[in-house]
């Protein structure tokens, strides 16, 4: 579900928590044009910032984020954190000052509204759209994980609970959480190796990891919340360098590749980087 929150910047605004924007655009409007409308009409832009992170191996909203049934469930250590951004809603009333501030801050990104929200929809319709994307992502994440583990989906069921984030980019982390809860690293240990691992990326039912956008802001949220490793879709490597100090970037393109990378990390083996 989409979360609306009060603005903490000058004008009254509402923020929307999203697990993905499509593409971040920095500095698309000439400064002269902006100054011409300063203090008048709101601009067709959204300002994003690092959002919440959630450990998919833990609890959220009063219950386990991942609840498998029909198979033995492991106790896990470490964390697998999905990461979101916060973006101001279409009716937030973004003014020139908000846009200029966003250009000059590393923890902000300015983007056209249509790059973040479906056009022509009301707030309620956008919320429904985001929920539908999240539900579809959860189904694909479950299918990908069970296929990877060669588990029968008619016998093993997985309930996923994460109500206040919309969009599909938690898919990869959901799949990894399911794998860790059901099988760990495959040799008795945890897939996390006891670390706090964060990441982003969509996932298809066949295990293909897709790009989502917003990775630079998500890395900041990940490091803020204690992650030492960030899994990023390989296609987004160019967008995320350099990483925040203390955060190791690991590019992935499939669920299998992500699992292999985490196994190698846990054992101190070689792991690809951006």
């Amino acid at each position: 579900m989409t979360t609306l929150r009060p603005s903490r910047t000058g004008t009254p605004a509402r923020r929307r928590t999203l697990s993905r924007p499509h593409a971040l655009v920095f500095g698309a409007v000439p400064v002269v044009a902006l100054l011409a409308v300063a203090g008048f009409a709101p601009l067709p832009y959204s300002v994003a910032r690092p959002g919440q992170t959630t450990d998919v191996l833990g609890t959220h909203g009063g219950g386990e984020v991942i609840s498998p049934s029909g198979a033995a469930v492991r106790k896990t250590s470490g964390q697998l954190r999905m990461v979101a951004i916060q973006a101001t809603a279409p009716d937030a009333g973004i003014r020139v000052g908000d846009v200029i501030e966003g250009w000059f801050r590393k923890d902000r990104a300015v983007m056209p509204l249509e790059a973040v929200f479906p056009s022509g929809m009301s707030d309620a319709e956008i919320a429904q759209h985001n929920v539908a994307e999240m539900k579809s992502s959860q189904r694909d994440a479950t299918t990908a994980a069970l296929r990877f583990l060669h588990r029968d989906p008619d016998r093993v069921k997985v309930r996923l609970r994460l109500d206040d984030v919309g969009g599909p980019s938690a898919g990869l982390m959901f799949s990894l959480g399911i794998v860790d809860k059901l099988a760990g690293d495959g040799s008795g240990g945890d897939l996390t190796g006891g670390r706090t691992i964060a990441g982003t990326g969509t996932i298809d039912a066949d295990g293909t990891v897709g790009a989502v956008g917003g990775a630079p802001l998500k890395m900041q949220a990940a490091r803020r919340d204690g992650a030492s490793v960030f899994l990023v879709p390989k296609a987004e490597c160019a967008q995320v360098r350099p990483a925040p100090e203390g955060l190791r970037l690991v590019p992935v393109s499939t669920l299998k590749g992500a699992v292999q990378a985490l196994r190698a990390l846990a054992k101190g083996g070689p792991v690809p980087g951006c």
Side-chain angles (χ1 to χ4, degrees):
M1 182 179 299
T2 302
T3 303
L4 301 179
R5 298 179 182 175
S7 171
R8 295 182 182 176
T9 63
T11 38
R14 294 192 292 168
R15 303 198 185 285
R16 187 178 301 280
T17 299
L18 299 170
S19 59
R20 69 144 173 85
H22 291 290
L24 300 183
V25 179
F26 301 87
V29 179
V31 172
V32 173
L34 286 175
L35 293 176
V37 297
F40 295 96
L43 300 175
Y45 285 83
S46 180
V47 180
R49 65 174 63 193
Q52 74 183 60
T53 74
T54 304
D55 178 20
V56 300
L57 295 176
T59 60
H60 185 77
E64 296 285 331
V65 176
I66 300 175
S67 301
S69 59
V73 179
R74 302 177 61 256
K75 289 185 177 180
T76 60
S77 67
Q79 299 180 12
L80 288 170
R81 289 193 165 270
M82 59 76 57
V83 189
I85 66 166
Q86 276 190 335
T88 53
D91 61 354
I94 296 301
R95 298 301 201 275
V96 63
D98 302 314
V99 174
I100 293 175
E101 180 187 22
W103 285 345
F104 291 99
R105 290 185 58 163
K106 292 182 179 180
D107 62 345
R108 298 288 189 275
V110 179
M111 66 203 86
L113 281 173
E114 63 270 18
V116 186
F117 304 102
S119 60
M121 290 187 181
S122 67
D123 272 3
E125 289 169 335
I126 290 173
Q128 292 173 356
H129 174 79
N130 287 337
V131 169
E133 282 197 319
M134 174 60 87
K135 295 298 184 185
S136 177
S137 172
Q138 291 175 346
R139 289 192 295 269
D140 286 344
T142 299
T143 299
L146 295 182
R147 285 180 176 175
F148 175 79
L149 295 172
H150 304 291
R151 301 294 181 96
D152 185 349
D154 294 326
R155 301 189 53 155
V156 180
K157 304 296 182 183
V158 181
R159 180 185 177 187
L160 299 175
R161 179 201 302 266
L162 191 59
D163 296 344
D164 57 354
V165 178
S169 76
L172 170 62
M173 302 309 286
F174 278 138
S175 285
L176 290 172
I178 295 168
V179 171
D180 202 15
K181 285 209 165 189
L182 293 179
D185 65 0
S187 58
D190 293 303
L191 197 56
T192 63
R195 295 178 171 86
T196 296
I197 311 288
T200 190
T202 65
I203 199 160
D204 294 338
D206 65 0
T208 300
V209 175
V212 293
L217 294 179
K218 292 178 180 180
M219 290 192 309
Q220 293 180 40
R223 191 70 189 110
R224 177 198 69 205
D225 291 353
S228 59
V229 176
F230 189 81
L231 303 179
V232 60
K234 189 174 182 179
E236 295 189 85
C237 263
Q239 299 178 23
V240 297
R241 295 189 298 259
E245 185 176 354
L247 189 67
R248 181 174 186 175
L249 300 180
V250 178
V252 296
S253 55
T254 65
L255 174 59
K256 180 179 180 180
V259 171
Q260 290 174 338
L262 291 182
R263 286 172 175 168
L265 273 173
K267 296 177 180 179
V271 177
C274 284

